[in-house]
Amino acid sequence: AKLEAARSVSMNRGLRRVKEVEDKGMITMDRSSGEIAIKAPFEFSPVKPGPKDDVPPDPAFVSTEAIDTILENVLDLSRVFESPLQVEVQCVVGKGGTPAFWEKLA
């Protein structure tokens, strides 16, 4: 009985912490799948392929402060569950350049 009570308290506390992170407005978590959705985009500085588009420049964020805030929220959620995270990033391919250029940039 004590174990069940402890689990219940722990689960309620964890769900409360998830809600607190979500209330910051940057991310949401699907309670059934555990999938985290980021509400704000990770905006990168524009990149244009040049004549030597085999070597793309290093990607740069438009606002590192915004990215830091989002990633802090993701980190807060990972602390609730104390388990590894799998991060999947999807990018929109820009105009011009070869597919190899955009693959290297990603």
Side-chain angles (χ1 to χ4, degrees):
K2 288 183 181 182
L3 179 59
E4 285 301 317
R7 284 182 179 159
S8 177
V9 168
S10 178
M11 188 165 127
N12 287 336
R13 188 176 300 136
L15 289 173
R16 194 172 321 115
R17 288 175 57 199
V18 168
K19 180 78 172 118
E20 288 169 2
V21 173
E22 288 181 321
D23 286 346
K24 294 176 185 178
M26 298 299 236
I27 61 177
T28 59
M29 189 185 92
D30 182 313
R31 305 294 195 278
S32 61
S33 70
E35 184 172 317
I36 298 169
I38 298 172
K39 291 182 174 182
F42 279 39
E43 294 187 63
F44 290 90
S45 298
V47 174
K48 291 185 179 182
K52 288 191 159 199
D53 67 358
D54 57 329
V55 182
D58 290 333
F61 293 116
V62 170
S63 169
T64 56
E65 293 83 18
I67 302 304
D68 287 346
T69 301
I70 293 167
L71 293 178
E72 285 173 11
N73 284 213
V74 172
L75 182 60
D76 288 343
L77 275 183
S78 75
R79 289 180 178 141
V80 171
F81 299 103
E82 298 177 4
S83 63
L85 294 177
Q86 178 179 341
V87 178
E88 182 179 310
V89 179
Q90 298 174 355
C91 299
V92 176
V93 176
K95 295 180 181 177
T98 63
F101 171 84
W102 295 109
E103 183 65 30
K104 287 178 186 177
L105 184 65

